[in-house]
Amino acid sequence: KNQVEQSPQSLIILEGKNCTLQCNYTVSPFSNLRWYKQDTGRGPVSLTIMTFSENTKSNGRYTATLDADTKQSSLHITASQLSDSASYICVVSARSNYQLIWGAGTKLIIKP
Amino acid sequence: EPEVTQTPSHQVTQMGQEVILRCVPISNHLYFYWYRQILGQKVEFLVSFYNNEISEKSEIFDDQFSVERPDGSNFTLKIRSTKLEDSAMYFCASSVTSSYNEQFFGPGTRLTVL
């Protein structure tokens, strides 16, 4: 069954610190993997999209990695800011129908 | 910057009533989607729409649901007879193509069924 699992479920860090969020997936055949940021009560906003041939992709202070062999991805946030407080969702697209399979998200809280 | 818009932002309705949620996708996009997110749960795919017809739908999207693109700009989701468990955030999204291209999400409509 196509699934996306994320860890940790929630994370609290101090402003200015770095953090790494994890994503494991069992989606096959794989098309691409996306990381979304979702503020409370708002729609998801895309951070990165990676295909199987891309190992790393950056968007400002966000860097995503992908290991298509082990089916793992991570999202690293550098020098966190209060505005980074949100849910970060890993989403994988299957090449068979391009339907998006959503993870449950990691709820990140940045404390001053 | 172009964005997906949704109306209303919050809809309260009585169980058994019909509701129509409205979306205006980004103008040059060809693929449109509806998702829902029950409070505290994962985002769930409902339906994708291309060339004036449904291209994919999930098990959630049963006969109670329908989608329509009544004119060149609006994309609507109708729930015929709402149930308590339909209470959720409903997100519309659009993309240029169906595969690699990212989907742009609207701000959502919070549906509360009493």
Side-chain angles (χ1 to χ4, degrees), chain A residues 29-81:
Chain A
F30 175 84
S31 174
N32 57 70
L33 184 145
R34 308 151 188 241
W35 282 94
Y36 283 93
K37 177 185 179 187
Q38 186 180 26
D39 292 311
T40 302
R42 306 292 297 172
V45 174
S46 179
L47 296 174
T48 63
I49 303 177
M50 290 186 291
T51 63
F52 72 94
S53 61
E54 295 175 292
N55 299 121
T56 185
K57 203 160 200 178
S58 291
N59 177 359
R61 293 179 297 102
Y62 301 103
T63 300
T65 65
L66 174 64
D67 185 333
D69 291 330
T70 61
K71 299 186 177 180
Q72 295 180 323
S73 175
S74 66
L75 180 70
H76 186 75
I77 304 174
T78 305
S80 60
Q81 299 175 358

Side-chain angles (χ1 to χ4, degrees), chain A residues 2 5 17 21 25 28-29 32 41 43 52 54 75 82 89 92 98 100 110 112:
Chain A
N2 288 333
E5 301 289 340
K17 297 296 187 184
L21 315 180
Y25 61 91
S28 183
N32 57 70
F52 72 94
E54 295 175 292
L75 180 70
L82 297 178
I89 310 174
V92 180
Y98 299 112
L100 301 184
I110 311 296

Side-chain angles (χ1 to χ4, degrees), chain A residues 87-101:
Chain A
S87 285
Y88 291 84
I89 310 174
C90 176
V91 185
V92 180
S93 174
R95 191 156 27 92
S96 51
N97 59 9
Y98 299 112
Q99 206 173 104
L100 301 184
I101 297 130

Side-chain angles (χ1 to χ4, degrees), chain B residues 5-25:
Chain B
T5 60
Q6 290 186 242
T7 54
S9 56
H10 191 186
Q11 172 93 47
V12 181
T13 189
Q14 294 291 325
M15 191 169 58
Q17 294 296 304
E18 174 183 286
V19 294
I20 297 176
L21 310 183
R22 291 183 167 78
C23 168
V24 178

Side-chain angles (χ1 to χ4, degrees), chain A residues 4-5 31-32 34 36 38 41-44 46 49-51 54 57 89 93 97-100 102-104, chain B residues 33 35 37 40-45 56-58 89 91 98-108 110:
Chain A
V4 176
E5 301 289 340
S31 174
N32 57 70
R34 308 151 188 241
Y36 283 93
Q38 186 180 26
R42 306 292 297 172
S46 179
I49 303 177
M50 290 186 291
T51 63
E54 295 175 292
K57 203 160 200 178
I89 310 174
S93 174
N97 59 9
Y98 299 112
Q99 206 173 104
L100 301 184
W102 294 73
Chain B
Y33 314 84
Y35 295 86
Q37 187 175 30
Q41 297 188 22
K42 291 183 186 185
V43 174
E44 299 173 290
F45 168 76
E56 296 278 348
K57 61 181 182 179
S58 71
M89 280 289 279
F91 295 107
S98 68
S99 55
Y100 181 83
N101 282 78
E102 73 177 277
Q103 295 180 18
F104 291 83
F105 284 78
R110 179 169 298 284

